[in-house]
Amino acid sequence: MTNRDYQVGDAITVPWGLDLVQGTVVGAYGEGLGLRVLVEVDLGDGGTEVLPFPPRALELAQQPEGQGPPGAWVQASRYEESLSRVLGKILHAHAPEWPGGVEMSARLGETREIDFLAQLPDRLLLIEAKHYRDAQRPLNSSTLDQMVAYLRRPQRNNLPAVALVVTNAKVPLSVVERAEEYRKAHVPLWVAGWREWDTPVELEMALTEALRFPVSG
């Protein structure tokens, strides 16, 4: 067994350059954001090669949109990797405030519904990344509704949870206002636009508010 999603012997689609090819899961190593799934790929000349993949890259390759134009999965995977680094920097800037520091991990091993989880002493931070090939596409407010439904479930160690949706797409005013309405109703949910070449001012502002939002255990 590699994790809850990938078993040794599973035949799966994997990224190969800008294309997608078939491979077989043969193992795994690491944990958290460092987890890598080992997949044996047929090179087509009678030889094979075992390659390590982040679980999220494999998940993107399995999704229908990943089967679209060549290389479609690459942008989404790179976006999430860049986002995880930026989030890590922002969180660790706050770490001195919390005894024990910060634990941040990919959420894939527990559920496919949330991309990242940061466990803090007094709360969980749930982060959903929404990447679109067409960055002019507006974020749909239904994404917020899905996050609210998840927020209302029991969480790890019964800690209260706050949530953040991050997207490279346009964030319509109606979606911003929808998130504000949820917070007024004591549902801690934020949305922020961020692209890889942007200074993460909006992202850091939303994340800081989420970390300071009053919660009760």
Side-chain angles (χ1 to χ4, degrees), residues 6 10-16 19-25 37 39-41 53-63 66-68 73:
Y6 301 104
D10 281 352
I12 60 172
T13 300
V14 301
W16 181 271
D19 297 318
L20 298 170
V21 299
Q22 290 300 117
T24 302
V25 176
V37 179
V39 180
E40 185 177 49
V41 176
F53 293 94
R56 185 59 178 165
L58 295 180
E59 182 188 359
L60 290 169
Q62 313 312 308
Q63 295 174 355
Q67 311 290 335
W73 69 272

Side-chain angles (χ1 to χ4, degrees), residues 59-83:
E59 182 188 359
L60 290 169
Q62 313 312 308
Q63 295 174 355
E65 55 267 32
Q67 311 290 335
W73 69 272
V74 176
Q75 294 179 354
S77 181
R78 286 177 178 170
Y79 179 79
E80 293 190 6
E81 289 180 4
S82 297
L83 176 60

Side-chain angles (χ1 to χ4, degrees), residues 84-106:
S84 70
R85 289 193 293 270
V86 171
L87 290 169
K89 289 180 180 178
I90 297 173
L91 286 172
H92 282 91
H94 289 266
E97 302 176 16
W98 305 309
V102 179
E103 173 196 341
M104 183 172 174
S105 61

